[in-house]
């Protein structure tokens, strides 16, 4: 299996029509020649929270979404990508429920990180905890074992509840390794072609470190899981939200990585009418990347953009997005905030809304994304040029729902007819079909208020020109007859 250099879709299993069967119908009816790179189905597994990201198992599909047969059916026409939350599993999983009942006598006890695996006698040391990159006030939760009434502290990196809903797995455990092997075997059997390793940066717990992307141990783990995936004919995509230098390290080790720098950089260029930082970045970034503008979370700011942004300028971008309806996710730990207190982790909202629902600006943003080297992913809300869903965010109390609208079949039919969506679909077809995108990429000299990029392979070449003052986007390309054609995007 090799990743196709064509556009992919990202969607929840129930966000385009209501379930997996409807998703397949929608894909075949409207987008059969659009997502030639595949479909990333956000967790379709039984889950106890975090919209699928607290999975009970990877061996089953949540019945309200459908079955593995539905996944296989989608896989007949599109390469399917799914997530493996390799760092944790749900508190409601049969594995942890058995541990809750029997404690250390449970056959699954070794799957989890009881604190005696980290500290002598299982007593946390404040100096160690202070060094950890915390995603919640403490990196562990306390549970009461049913049969003995004993208290057990286990490692929990994530989770909004106390105790946490997401229980970390001990990747040193042979039982965890066997479980992961079972998951990959099941993925292969059901036509999964790519697996995204969600939260993989947190799998190594080592005293004296931040317990985030611990080197060199993280590479040993990734090499082990890469072999496992390859044996099943599956490609891996590690997902690590962090300083851009970590993506560069992963790329140097030969892994696919996510370009979490591009979404903000494009937003900044279009809002401030200046291409300088974006063009500088495009000259040096790794090419073996998956690119995106929007996703089920938000546009990454800190720590991804650390050292790449001036926080005063960033405040202007953030404030304008907020003015246009976005909300913010903030950094928890003081040491990860900027010296001036700037603490924006992600900007939440649809990318279309962040750009003021300006069709030309939105198409310019997508054109830049598609010309940047890498495999482009388009989130389903962005595909339909969706606007902020304030009602969903308010109803659920989950800020990220602002960009997670669930479309009915009727809403999809109407959205597909929008001019901006038709322009986007035409642009995606060009990106999928034009041969030069498998050739050589160049950042061309341009003024501060322009963007000029090009691709060439043999006699095929295309160039992108964007005037940031007007957001007018033009592609010039050599057609089949060898003539130079201008395409106003």
């Amino acid at each position: 299996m090799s990743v196709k250099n064509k556009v992919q879709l990202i969607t929840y299993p129930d966000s385009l029509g209501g379930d997996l069967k409807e998703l397949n119908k929608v894909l075949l009816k409207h987008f059969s020649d659009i997502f030639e790179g595949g479909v990333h189905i956000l967790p379709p597994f039984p889950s106890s929270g975090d919209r699928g990201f607290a999975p009970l198992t990877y061996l089953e599909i949540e019945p309200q979404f459908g079955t593995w047969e539905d996944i296989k059916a989608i896989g007949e026409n599109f390469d399917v990508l799914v997530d493996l939350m390799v760092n944790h599993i749900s508190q409601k999983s049969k594995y942890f429920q058995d541990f809750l009942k029997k404690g250390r006598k449970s056959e699954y006890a070794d799957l989890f990180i009881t604190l005696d695996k980290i500290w002598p006698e299982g007593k946390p040391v404040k100096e160690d905890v202070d060094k950890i990159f915390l995603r919640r006030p403490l990196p562990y939760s306390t549970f009461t074992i049913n049969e003995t009434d004993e208290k057990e502290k286990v490692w929990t990196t994530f989770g909004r509840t106390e105790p946490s809903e997401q229980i970390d797995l001990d990747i040193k455990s042979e039982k965890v390794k066997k479980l992961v092997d079972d998951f990959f075997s099941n993925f292969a059997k059901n036509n999964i072609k790519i697996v995204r390793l969600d939260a993989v940066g947190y799998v190594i717990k080592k005293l004296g470190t931040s317990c985030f992307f611990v080197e060199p141990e993280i590479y040993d783990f990734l090499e082990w899981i890469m072999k496992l995936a390859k044996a099943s004919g599956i490609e891996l995509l590690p997902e690590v939200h962090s300083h851009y230098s970590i993506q560069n390290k992963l790329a140097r080790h030969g892994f696919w990585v996510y370009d979490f720098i591009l979404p903000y950089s494009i937003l900044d260029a279009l809002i401030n009418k200046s291409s300088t930082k974006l063009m500088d970045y495009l000259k040096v970034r790794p090419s073996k990347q998956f690119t995106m503008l929007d996703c089920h979370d938000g546009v990454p700011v800190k720590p991804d953009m650390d050292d790449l942004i001036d926080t005063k300028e960033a405040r202007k971008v953030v404030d304008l997005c907020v003015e246009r309806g976005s909300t913010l996710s903030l950094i928890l730990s003081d040491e990860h905030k900027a010296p001036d207190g700037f603490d924006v982790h992600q900007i939440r909202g649809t990318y279309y809304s962040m750009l003021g629902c300006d069709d030309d600006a939105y198409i310019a943003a997508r054109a830049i994304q598609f010309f940047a080297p890498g495999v482009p992913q388009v989130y389903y809300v962005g595909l339909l040029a969706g606007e902020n869903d304030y009602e969903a965010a308010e109803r659920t109390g989950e800020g990220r729902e602002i960009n997670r609208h669930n479309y009915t079949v009727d809403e999809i039919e109407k959205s597909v007819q929008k001019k901006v969506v038709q322009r986007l679909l035409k642009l995606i077809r060009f990106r999928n079909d034009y041969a030069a995108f498998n050739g050589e990429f160049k950042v061309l000299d341009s003024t501060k208020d322009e963007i000029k990029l090009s691709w060439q392979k043999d006699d095929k070449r295309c160039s992108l020109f964007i005037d940031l003052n007007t957001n007018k986007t033009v592609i010039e390309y050599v057609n089949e007859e060898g003539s130079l054609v201008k395409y106003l995007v």
Side-chain angles (χ1 to χ4, degrees):
M1 163 67 196
S2 61
V3 175
K4 292 170 184 165
N5 182 23
K6 293 174 186 284
V7 179
Q8 290 185 352
L9 172 70
I10 312 171
T11 182
Y12 283 100
D14 56 341
S15 285
L16 289 174
D19 60 25
L20 290 165
K21 275 192 174 62
E22 286 301 323
L23 171 61
N24 197 23
K25 286 181 194 169
V26 166
L27 287 170
L28 293 173
K29 180 175 181 181
H30 297 291
F31 310 115
S32 60
D33 63 337
I34 297 298
F35 297 110
E36 295 182 1
V39 180
H40 177 179
I41 302 174
L42 294 165
F45 315 109
S47 170
S48 59
D50 200 10
R51 196 150 178 187
F53 284 85
L56 276 67
T57 179
Y58 296 89
L59 302 175
E60 299 165 27
I61 298 297
E62 169 57 45
Q64 73 180 65
F65 301 147
T67 66
W68 277 113
E69 289 306 310
D70 297 320
I71 296 277
K72 280 164 96 170
I74 294 170
E76 283 171 22
N77 297 291
F78 306 91
D79 288 349
V80 175
L81 185 160
V82 296
D83 295 272
L84 176 64
M85 276 57 78
V86 70
N87 178 69
H88 53 263
I89 203 153
S90 171
Q91 182 201 126
K92 302 294 190 299
S93 65
K94 72 172 185 182
Y95 316 108
F96 194 73
Q97 285 297 304
D98 195 73
F99 173 76
L100 266 186
K101 186 180 174 188
K102 303 173 187 169
R104 303 293 177 107
K105 290 179 183 172
S106 166
E107 63 180 299
Y108 303 118
D110 195 45
L111 294 179
F112 311 109
I113 305 171
T114 49
L115 292 198
D116 56 302
K117 288 183 174 183
I118 306 291
W119 288 284
E121 299 175 34
K123 291 178 182 172
V125 176
K126 185 178 183 301
E127 291 77 30
D128 294 325
V129 173
D130 287 345
K131 289 175 183 165
I132 295 168
F133 178 32
L134 294 175
R135 298 305 303 268
R136 55 200 309 274
L138 287 172
Y140 52 85
S141 296
T142 306
F143 294 90
T144 303
I145 303 305
N146 297 345
E147 288 184 359
T148 64
D149 231 25
E150 287 178 84
K151 303 283 185 197
E152 281 282 13
K153 289 186 172 72
V154 297
W155 200 283
T156 52
T157 298
F158 298 96
R160 298 187 169 197
T161 57
E162 190 55 58
S164 174
E165 193 61 43
Q166 291 156 299
I167 312 296
D168 285 40
L169 294 167
D170 181 2
I171 53 103
K172 293 179 180 176
S173 160
E174 290 305 316
K175 289 198 171 182
V176 168
K177 289 177 180 176
K178 172 68 171 67
L179 196 61
V180 174
D181 195 357
D182 290 346
F183 294 156
F184 272 101
S185 298
N186 188 56
F187 289 156
K189 188 175 77 180
N190 288 291
N191 222 0
I192 302 300
K193 297 292 193 293
I194 309 170
V195 168
R196 181 175 80 154
L197 295 178
D198 187 78
V200 69
Y202 298 91
V203 296
I204 308 294
K205 281 75 177 176
K206 185 177 179 182
L207 290 188
T209 74
S210 66
C211 295
F212 178 80
F213 207 82
V214 179
E215 299 173 276
E217 289 87 344
I218 187 71
Y219 302 119
D220 296 337
F221 172 76
L222 284 168
E223 277 162 26
W224 168 77
I225 204 166
M226 176 71 92
K227 279 182 190 165
L228 206 63
K230 280 191 173 165
S232 298
I234 290 171
E235 283 275 356
L236 281 189
L237 171 59
E239 186 255 12
V240 182
H241 268 293
S242 186
H243 191 270
Y244 68 93
S245 59
I246 283 185
Q247 310 292 355
N248 294 348
K249 286 177 182 179
L250 281 169
R252 284 198 293 272
H253 278 78
F255 293 100
W256 282 98
V257 294
Y258 260 114
D259 191 342
F260 289 129
I261 306 304
L262 203 58
Y264 179 89
S265 300
I266 292 175
L267 200 59
D268 176 55
L270 290 165
I271 286 173
N272 289 317
K273 309 295 180 192
S274 172
S275 64
T276 309
K277 286 183 183 174
L278 174 63
M279 300 293 262
D280 287 346
Y281 172 63
L282 289 172
K283 287 173 187 171
V284 298
R285 64 188 281 283
S287 56
K288 192 178 176 180
Q289 302 211 47
F290 278 57
T291 68
M292 36 81 85
L293 295 184
D294 44 3
C295 66
H296 66 286
D297 283 336
V299 169
V301 185
K302 287 183 67 63
D304 305 74
M305 299 298 301
D306 284 353
D307 303 327
L308 293 175
I309 52 171
D310 174 276
T311 53
K312 279 185 187 170
E313 290 175 16
R315 279 185 200 279
K316 287 182 202 167
V317 173
V318 168
D319 288 349
L320 183 59
C321 289
V322 169
E323 201 178 296
R324 290 170 173 173
S326 293
T327 59
L328 305 174
S329 162
L330 303 177
I331 293 278
L332 273 184
S333 39
D334 287 336
E335 66 269 29
H336 291 94
K337 295 174 185 175
D340 66 355
F342 184 72
D343 60 353
V344 178
H345 176 48
Q346 292 178 343
I347 308 169
R348 293 172 175 167
T350 79
Y351 211 84
Y352 186 63
S353 292
M354 287 179 204
L355 289 170
C357 301
D358 179 325
D359 289 5
D360 289 341
Y362 185 62
I363 291 299
R366 287 294 176 192
I368 300 165
Q369 180 198 4
F370 296 166
F371 264 72
V375 175
Q377 290 188 323
V378 176
Y379 184 58
Y380 75 99
V381 179
L383 167 69
L384 300 173
E387 297 179 36
N388 291 338
D389 189 340
Y390 305 109
E391 190 274 328
E394 200 172 317
R395 186 183 71 250
T396 59
E398 167 56 81
R400 293 174 296 181
E401 290 290 320
I402 194 172
N403 190 26
R404 297 178 177 181
H405 181 74
N406 290 329
Y407 288 83
T408 63
V409 170
D410 284 348
E411 285 177 314
I412 295 164
E413 298 278 349
K414 284 176 188 162
S415 297
V416 166
Q417 300 310 316
K418 291 193 291 192
K419 278 185 184 174
V420 65
V421 174
Q422 286 296 315
R423 288 169 70 187
L424 177 57
L425 296 180
K426 185 179 176 185
L427 179 60
I428 290 174
R429 288 186 184 100
F430 180 79
R431 173 61 179 80
N432 282 340
D433 298 341
Y434 198 67
F437 288 106
N438 292 308
E440 184 188 3
F441 170 72
K442 281 185 180 171
V443 176
L444 305 176
D445 290 340
S446 61
T447 60
K448 184 183 169 185
D449 58 357
E450 295 173 340
I451 289 171
K452 292 180 182 176
L453 308 171
S454 75
W455 282 90
Q456 180 161 4
K457 187 180 185 197
D458 303 325
D459 61 340
K460 292 289 182 287
R461 68 179 187 279
C462 60
S463 59
L464 174 70
F465 173 78
I466 297 171
D467 180 343
L468 291 173
N469 295 309
T470 62
N471 295 324
K472 184 181 173 186
T473 300
V474 176
I475 293 174
E476 277 193 354
Y477 66 98
V478 176
N479 66 12
E480 289 304 314
E481 289 75 45
S483 304
L484 195 61
V485 177
K486 276 194 177 183
Y487 156 33
L488 180 61
V489 184

